[in-house]
Amino acid sequence: MGGKKIRIVLTPGETLPDVDVWLVVDLLRASSTAVAFFEHGGKKILPVSSVEEARRLKANLGDNWILMGERKALPIEGFDLGNSPLAFEYVHLKDKAGAVMTTSNGTLAYLKAASTGKAVFVAAARNAYHAARRALKLKDTVGILCAGKEGRLALDDCLCAGLLLEEILKMAGNVDLDDGAKVVSALWEFYGKDLGKGVYMSESAKLLMELGMKEDIEYCCKVNCSFVVPTVVLLEGRPCLLLQE
């Protein structure tokens, strides 16, 4: 796997570089929630940018679809679920056609990566090894897009990108790193390659702690415990998260 290139985008407002495949990271919590959704038998997720669009789409699709998402980490009024990866313990997803999802940061990042026309995988700590492995199979240049927080850099996403980078470096030979990759590598080393230690210092984690959602953080910080790697594809002209071989 020699000759690989890694390009890491730290904030969602940056111009995206030309890559062959994207890994999109929103550790707390959209990426982790998407992985959990498919682990529990979910079929597809339609990511949308706004609450209004999510409600319209759900109304058109019917009662067999779940409406889920958050704003400022809290469930949205009238939605079936928020953005907690733990919620699927109590929902029978196998009986549902899919979910319409909108979050403050993650779904926007999925849509931005999908707009490039390149392959897009959803990455989190839980599926870091398998997401990195899938990405490395596709040509030479791997991009990692951090969803950030309200348009700004998010420490938790940067640390997860550092974890993904480490997984890539274990598998690949000669790797060319851009400045973004060097930054997340330095952060990863600074926190002693301890994801939880760094994540709990982030603004996102502090907000979830204030809201009594510590268990969500603990769930999202577990590393390499899932082989599920959602893929963003176009379904009838609309970006959609699915599981593909």
Side-chain angles (χ1 to χ4, degrees):
M1 293 184 179
K4 297 292 183 179
K5 299 177 183 178
I6 310 299
R7 305 290 179 252
I8 299 185
V9 179
L10 303 179
T11 64
E14 295 177 43
T15 300
L16 298 187
D18 185 23
V19 301
D20 298 311
V21 55
W22 283 105
L23 294 174
V24 179
V25 178
D26 185 356
L27 181 69
L28 299 178
R29 296 165 288 168
S31 291
S32 304
T33 297
V35 171
F37 175 86
F38 289 106
E39 284 180 338
H40 286 84
K43 298 179 178 67
K44 59 178 71 76
I45 295 175
L46 299 178
V48 298
S49 58
S50 72
V51 173
E52 294 74 19
E53 183 183 3
R55 286 183 172 135
R56 285 196 302 269
L57 186 57
K58 166 65 161 57
N60 290 334
L61 291 169
D63 293 337
N64 203 32
W65 284 74
I66 294 172
L67 189 57
M68 66 185 197
E70 57 75 33
R71 286 298 184 270
K72 299 186 182 300
L74 293 172
I76 300 166
E77 183 179 356
F79 276 40
D80 302 304
L81 296 173
N83 188 33
S84 172
L86 302 177
F88 306 120
E89 298 288 342
Y90 314 102
V91 179
H92 296 291
L93 292 177
K94 293 180 181 179
D95 299 331
K96 299 294 183 178
V100 179
M101 182 180 191
T102 182
T103 68
S104 301
N105 307 293
T107 51
L108 295 173
Y110 301 152
L111 296 172
K112 182 166 186 174
S115 71
T116 67
K118 302 300 175 66
V120 180
F121 298 120
V122 176
R126 296 179 68 87
N127 71 348
Y129 169 81
H130 288 283
R133 187 168 177 267
R134 288 285 296 274
L136 280 173
K137 287 183 176 181
L138 298 178
K139 298 187 180 179
D140 296 322
T141 306
V142 176
I144 300 176
L145 173 59
C146 297
K149 181 176 174 61
E150 298 173 355
R152 299 177 290 111
L153 180 148
L155 176 59
D156 46 301
D157 290 343
C158 289
L159 288 168
C160 189
L163 167 64
L164 288 164
L165 177 59
E166 181 175 65
E167 295 293 345
I168 290 170
L169 293 176
K170 287 177 183 176
M171 299 178 212
N174 179 31
V175 177
D176 177 72
L177 305 181
D178 71 348
D179 285 353
K182 293 171 184 174
V183 167
V184 301
S185 180
L187 272 174
W188 185 237
E189 294 287 345
F190 178 79
Y191 285 102
K193 300 184 178 182
D194 184 334
L195 183 67
K197 177 182 178 182
V199 166
Y200 274 98
M201 298 296 292
S202 70
E203 292 180 20
S204 298
K206 289 178 179 179
L207 175 60
L208 291 174
M209 289 287 288
E210 290 171 2
L211 295 172
M213 300 180 186
K214 183 179 180 181
E215 289 185 353
D216 278 19
I217 304 171
E218 293 172 347
Y219 182 95
C220 294
C221 286
K222 291 180 180 177
V223 176
N224 291 337
C225 56
S226 177
F227 60 86
V228 169
V229 183
T231 305
V232 183
V233 301
L234 284 180
L235 185 66
E236 298 179 357
R238 178 182 290 277
C240 176
L241 276 63
L242 297 171
L243 289 186
Q244 291 186 324
E245 293 298 328

